[in-house]
Amino acid sequence: MRVLILAASVFAAMSPLAANAQSGSDASGGDLVKRGKYLAIAGDCSSCHAENFSGGEKIESPIGAIYAPNITPDEKTGIGDMTEAEFEGALRRGKSDTWLYPAMSYTHYTGLTDADVKALWAYFKQVKPVENDVPETDLGFPFVRPAMMGWNTLFLDKGHPPGAVDVSGDQLQRGRYLVETLEHCSSCHSPRGTLMQEDTSKHLAGGALNGWYAPNLTPSDKGGLGDWSEADIVAYLSKGRNAHAVAGGEMGLVVSRSTSKLSSDDLTAIAKYLKAVKPVDTQPEASGPDGQATLDLAALEVPNGDWQSVVGHDTTDGATLYQGACATCHGMNGQGTAAPALSKISDVSATNAANVVQVIAHGINMPNDARHVAMPGFQRTMSDAQIASVASYVRTNFGGVDGEVTQGSVANILSGKQQVSWIIANAAQLAWAAIAVAVLLVLALIGWAVMRTRRRA
């Protein structure tokens, strides 16, 4: 299947333009390929298409599974017989030999320069061909590929990524190009509208994605990056951690494979642009404890000094579970010893509890060149009720969040199911109803024409 999908998975893939890029027409073949490789790494293509680009990765979407295709130059199963024009069409218009689903962020890549398209083409044509016949994506009626023509008419603004902010100055313009076009941050970090288009009125203000929450990237003091400095943003993208956050889930993979390999100029441009976009508030000011929780240490003794016996126990007391499973690294008062201070982690004080639940359940595993960041997950040793209790305890005592995380909400979060609009959820029934109405109208018109002809006769 000659389809190019450079999709973002999960939590928002951060990726930049090659540093000090020159016009593709002026670059030599070797330089062009080298630049294309940088762009492919920056675009985090391997997260969806595998590290050798042979595809097959299953991308979960609210309307079904989408399989990332083979984008190696294999003649039989890859893009070996794709033309450069088809490649460009896939990137910027969502159309090659077939219509693509917008899981491939062509609504953002539509802003790619000709030189960058040419560099990517040069690189992908020379990677090692791999024969891998990827399963065909079948989302069922009415989500057939030709239907994307109508979706594109409504939501593809050729040459203009959704929500991009007008800025002046070379560095900010570069940052805009990186964030809005190549790295397509808002494809994960913006909420979705009725037909699953990006809600540009809440651009970069956060969005739900497969059980995780891609956080607010605007410079808001209420839910966003208002208290993050440019240095904080650069540190997060280069190392996967700073005083405010640690990259978990797919974002950890994005950091290790992509953003940690970016030039400092690119990272700085991204940081400056994110601080320049319109702030969007997504949560009220935190209230309650300031992270200095008062604990009854005597009541929190771990049986036999063994935390495994605590998390394996049937208790659902959040304080007891926290002391047994978390306090060794995060400290009794959440201020951190071998791990970050929970009172400073933005996800802990966020309105949406999804990321706290996911990290408790699955842990963190983020390798990069500098340091491997790891935290164990407890889904195998804790029940949903216990995870809910720990999450509630952490958010209340260290995040100042007034609200309980329930066992049911944990089950929903860990299922990875994403809510969609009523129209999308009932799309098949609505489509068949529309077809039925159309058929009835046609039959009625035919009947009327026949009756009129008979009367004239």
Side-chain angles (χ1 to χ4, degrees):
M1 178 177 66
R2 294 164 18 212
V3 179
L4 178 67
I5 302 181
L6 303 176
S9 62
V10 149
F11 277 56
M14 295 283 190
S15 48
L17 179 63
N20 302 318
Q22 302 297 320
S23 168
S25 60
D26 297 331
S28 68
D31 289 341
L32 197 64
V33 169
K34 182 179 179 181
R35 178 174 150 210
K37 180 179 180 180
Y38 183 94
L39 290 168
I41 292 173
D44 199 29
C45 305
S46 62
S47 285
C48 290
H49 296 279
E51 291 192 82
N52 64 356
F53 304 120
S54 64
E57 298 293 325
K58 184 179 180 181
I59 304 167
E60 295 291 351
S61 81
I63 57 176
I66 296 174
Y67 293 91
N70 183 343
I71 56 172
T72 73
D74 179 63
E75 294 283 347
K76 186 177 180 181
T77 63
I79 63 171
D81 60 347
M82 177 182 275
T83 67
E84 185 173 356
E86 288 175 325
F87 182 85
E88 182 275 333
L91 280 174
R92 299 204 283 203
R93 289 176 278 110
K95 176 68 168 67
S96 58
D97 63 328
T98 186
W99 295 97
L100 307 185
Y101 293 109
M104 187 281 202
S105 298
Y106 58 82
T107 56
H108 291 268
Y109 295 136
T110 188
L112 283 170
T113 65
D114 292 341
D116 286 344
V117 173
K118 187 174 290 293
L120 284 165
W121 172 248
Y123 173 66
F124 279 110
K125 289 299 288 184
Q126 61 81 53
V127 300
K128 181 180 178 181
V130 179
E131 184 174 341
N132 183 28
D133 197 4
V134 174
E136 181 71 30
T137 296
D138 183 8
L139 299 181
F141 182 80
F143 303 112
V144 294
R145 292 188 184 276
M148 296 303 102
M149 289 187 287
W151 193 92
N152 289 345
T153 299
L154 293 172
F155 305 118
L156 173 60
D157 187 4
K158 293 181 181 179
H160 303 282
V165 178
D166 289 331
V167 290
S168 59
D170 291 344
Q171 193 172 40
L172 280 176
Q173 288 178 351
R174 183 175 179 79
R176 167 188 155 130
Y177 184 80
L178 301 176
V179 170
E180 307 289 11
T181 295
L182 183 58
E183 69 179 86
H184 54 276
C185 299
S186 66
S187 62
C188 292
H189 290 271
S190 289
R192 295 282 169 169
T194 302
L195 297 180
M196 297 182 67
Q197 79 282 12
E198 291 183 32
D199 183 351
T200 55
S201 68
K202 298 178 181 178
H203 185 58
L204 294 173
L209 187 69
N210 297 333
W212 289 80
Y213 181 73
N216 184 341
L217 298 183
T218 74
S220 167
D221 290 324
K222 298 180 180 180
L225 305 183
D227 58 347
W228 288 39
S229 67
E230 291 178 9
D232 288 332
I233 297 173
V234 170
Y236 182 82
L237 295 177
S238 60
K239 300 177 182 179
R241 65 190 184 280
N242 60 22
H244 307 278
V246 177
E250 290 299 320
M251 191 61 202
L253 184 64
V254 169
V255 170
S256 64
R257 291 187 179 181
S258 178
T259 59
S260 63
K261 303 180 187 302
L262 305 183
S263 71
S264 59
D265 286 345
D266 282 342
L267 293 176
T268 300
I270 291 171
K272 287 186 176 297
Y273 178 77
L274 289 178
K275 296 296 283 186
V277 301
K278 178 183 177 181
V280 180
D281 295 342
T282 51
Q283 70 183 58
E285 294 283 4
S287 60
D290 61 2
Q292 300 289 340
T294 300
L295 304 178
D296 180 0
L297 300 184
L300 298 179
E301 291 184 5
V302 180
N304 302 320
D306 179 13
W307 68 264
Q308 285 93 343
S309 67
V310 174
V311 297
H313 195 270
D314 60 1
T315 181
T316 55
D317 180 72
T320 301
L321 290 165
Y322 173 84
Q323 197 275 344
C326 313
T328 300
C329 293
H330 290 287
M332 292 293 292
N333 61 358
Q335 296 307 300
T337 53
L342 294 174
S343 59
K344 297 180 180 179
I345 298 297
S346 56
D347 282 335
V348 173
S349 58
T351 301
N352 192 309
N355 292 355
V356 171
V357 169
Q358 292 281 9
V359 169
I360 294 171
H362 299 299
I364 291 175
N365 181 20
M366 186 191 63
N368 63 32
D369 295 338
R371 178 184 177 188
H372 193 121
V373 179
M375 168 187 156
F378 298 99
Q379 190 172 28
R380 292 184 179 181
T381 51
M382 285 188 184
S383 66
D384 286 354
Q386 290 177 315
I387 292 174
S389 295
V390 175
S392 295
Y393 178 82
V394 168
R395 283 161 51 78
T396 299
N397 287 276
F398 309 131
V401 178
D402 184 16
E404 180 184 4
V405 180
T406 66
Q407 179 178 348
S409 64
V410 168
N412 288 334
I413 289 168
L414 297 182
S415 73
K417 293 181 179 178
Q418 186 172 334
Q419 290 187 338
V420 295
S421 68
W422 181 87
I423 290 177
I424 294 296
N426 296 277
Q429 297 91 325
L430 292 172
W432 283 117
I435 291 173
V437 169
V439 169
L440 290 174
L441 287 174
V442 170
L443 292 175
L445 287 173
I446 292 174
W448 176 80
V450 169
M451 292 294 294
R452 187 174 181 180
T453 300
R454 287 179 178 176
R455 286 175 182 174
R456 288 181 178 179

